[in-house]
Amino acid sequence: MAKQTKDPLAKLHKRHRENTRSRPEGVMSMASAVSALKKFKAPKFDQTVDIVIHLGIDPKQADQSIRGSVALPSGLGKSKRVVAFCSADKVQAALAAGAIKAGGEDLVAEIEKGWMDFDVAVASPDMMRVISKLGRVLGPKGLMPSPKAGTVTPQVAEAVKEYAAGKVEYRNDKSGNVHAPIGKMSFSEGALLANLEHFVRTIEGVRPSTVKGAYIKKIAISGTMTPSILVEIPQRVVE
């Protein structure tokens, strides 16, 4: 008789069932939501904590699109690989700030040949003409530098430093949701709460003037392997 083996998913399913049963009902304050999230049974790896904010925007209207970047007060717990498109006189400063590579035409040529081992690309405004040829390569991967995202800036070294430390880019999807990481489950409750509050304030601050009625409709946080928890919308943004 063949030896029976344990279902490798059994432990996952058990943890998921237990977490689902212990999931709080209704909405919670930000502090209570963070505390409840950290009480879920966890896998062996350090989970990323994500936020989803459902917005009362019309994603089809260009003047209601949400896109930008934010440096969270507690960071993300993970450094990012950043490249910098800049003139020769700014290369050393960009590398000193944490860029894994920096340059102009030479860096463009390397990427055209297939090198893509980076997470974020920043560029000085004068480099946009040079890197425009990379639009078809970087665009689909969300890596093309953009002024709206904060990755096109005269302060290249400063941008490199922020993104290398875990600066978060955000943008709405087709359903009007903004998804973003806000830290790691190993963070203290205070650190996660600071990041959560700062991210929500950031989204509040970029409300398009053409949006009528409720702007932030729902907020939820979750770990990579946990159920989501609904978070109270701050009173300052409740219509």
Side-chain angles (χ1 to χ4, degrees):
M1 180 182 291
K3 184 178 179 181
Q4 290 185 337
T5 57
K6 292 184 178 179
D7 181 358
L9 297 179
K11 184 178 290 187
L12 185 154
H13 290 160
K14 180 180 179 182
R15 182 175 64 243
H16 177 72
R17 287 194 301 270
E18 291 179 358
N19 284 341
T20 300
R21 282 197 295 267
S22 64
R23 177 179 180 268
E25 296 294 333
V27 298
M28 308 181 75
S29 68
M30 290 188 181
S32 296
V34 168
S35 179
L37 186 67
K38 287 180 66 68
K39 287 183 173 66
F40 282 134
K41 291 185 178 296
K44 293 182 179 179
F45 66 90
D46 190 9
Q47 302 174 82
T48 295
V49 176
D50 296 301
I51 185 171
V52 179
I53 302 179
H54 180 56
L55 301 174
I57 62 173
D58 182 352
K60 295 180 181 179
Q61 303 300 317
D63 62 357
Q64 292 192 23
S65 63
I66 303 296
R67 184 177 183 184
S69 58
V70 56
L72 299 175
S74 306
L76 281 178
K78 175 185 177 182
S79 59
K80 289 188 177 182
R81 300 167 299 172
V82 183
V83 297
F85 295 100
C86 56
S87 54
D89 61 313
K90 294 182 179 179
V91 167
Q92 287 304 316
L95 292 174
I100 59 173
K101 290 191 178 185
E105 293 279 7
D106 53 335
L107 182 55
V108 170
E110 192 169 354
I111 292 173
E112 285 184 313
K113 291 178 182 178
W115 182 76
M116 292 289 291
D117 295 333
F118 57 93
D119 305 303
V120 180
V122 301
S124 56
D126 59 306
M127 285 288 113
M128 293 309 291
R129 176 185 57 81
V130 177
I131 66 175
S132 60
K133 64 180 74 174
L134 295 177
R136 292 184 178 179
V137 177
L138 301 182
K141 296 181 180 295
L143 293 173
M144 190 67 179
S146 162
K148 196 167 185 180
T151 45
V152 176
T153 172
Q155 287 75 44
V156 172
E158 183 179 327
V160 167
K161 185 177 181 179
E162 289 181 342
Y163 278 101
K167 191 173 186 179
V168 179
E169 289 188 63
Y170 60 83
R171 64 190 304 175
N172 65 272
D173 61 20
K174 293 180 180 179
S175 298
N177 300 307
V178 170
H179 305 251
I182 57 169
K184 291 289 187 178
M185 199 70 81
S186 59
F187 283 16
S188 68
E189 288 185 19
L192 279 175
L193 179 59
N195 280 359
L196 171 59
E197 291 176 336
H198 190 76
F199 189 84
V200 173
R201 282 198 302 269
T202 298
I203 299 303
E204 290 175 27
V206 296
R207 173 176 179 152
S209 60
T210 54
V211 172
K212 306 301 180 184
Y215 171 51
I216 294 181
K217 291 190 170 183
K218 184 183 293 185
I219 303 173
I221 59 173
S222 65
T224 307
M225 303 285 286
T226 75
S228 62
I229 294 178
L230 296 177
V231 180
E232 288 180 351
I233 300 171
Q235 287 299 311
R236 57 186 176 271
V237 297
V238 174
E239 300 296 334

